[in-house]
Structures are given as structure tokens and as C-alpha cells.
Amino acid sequence: MKAIEAVVDEQGRIYLAESCRVSGKKRAFLLTMDEESSGLAGAIVSEPTLSDWNRPEEDEAWSYLQPDQSS
């Protein structure tokens, strides 16, 4: 799975920010957003990759970086 930034114009034409080569037909999803919301794009497309980190083992492994909660 790969996320590619694109722009959609008023006529529905899609312009990719980078080239995209695939072998055979592939399914794709297009998520449109306002310019003000574009900062969320990275978080949205990264979520499937980063979700593997959302586990108790990861929390424990990185706990030393968290502020001390004992006080």
C-alpha cells in the first residue's frame, strides 16, 4: 500500500504529485480535503502503518520517554 499526494481540479481531473507505476490494475482510494485540512493528510495516510505501534508492548518499550506519572 502506498499513499500518493494528488490534486483534483474542478473538472475532476487528478494530478499526481509523483509518478505511480503499478503492475496490473490496482484499487485506489481518493480522499479530498480543503487546503486548511491538508496538514491532517500525513496522519490519515500514515495510520495503517503506525497502527502496529499501538500495542501495550510498544508503550512499555518507550515508557522511559514519558514524564514521571508517580507524583
Side-chain angles (χ1 to χ4, degrees), residues 20-36:
C20 176
R21 303 240 183 241
V22 295
S23 57
K25 289 183 180 181
K26 302 289 183 195
R27 290 187 59 183
F29 293 95
L30 176 64
L31 171 67
T32 61
M33 63 191 78
D34 296 330
E35 286 297 318
E36 307 86 56

Side-chain angles (χ1 to χ4, degrees), residues 7-15 30 32:
V7 174
V8 181
D9 70 13
E10 293 82 6
Q11 287 75 39
R13 292 181 292 235
I14 300 170
Y15 302 91
L30 176 64
T32 61

Side-chain angles (χ1 to χ4, degrees), residues 4-62:
I4 300 173
E5 185 177 352
V7 174
V8 181
D9 70 13
E10 293 82 6
Q11 287 75 39
R13 292 181 292 235
I14 300 170
Y15 302 91
L16 301 178
E18 61 186 79
S19 73
C20 176
R21 303 240 183 241
V22 295
S23 57
K25 289 183 180 181
K26 302 289 183 195
R27 290 187 59 183
F29 293 95
L30 176 64
L31 171 67
T32 61
M33 63 191 78
D34 296 330
E35 286 297 318
E36 307 86 56
S37 304
S38 64
L40 297 173
I44 291 169
V45 298
S46 298
E47 196 277 332
T49 301
L50 297 176
S51 67
D52 186 53
W53 290 20
N54 192 17
R55 299 180 296 157
E57 308 89 80
E58 291 294 332
D59 291 341
E60 185 177 341
W62 297 99

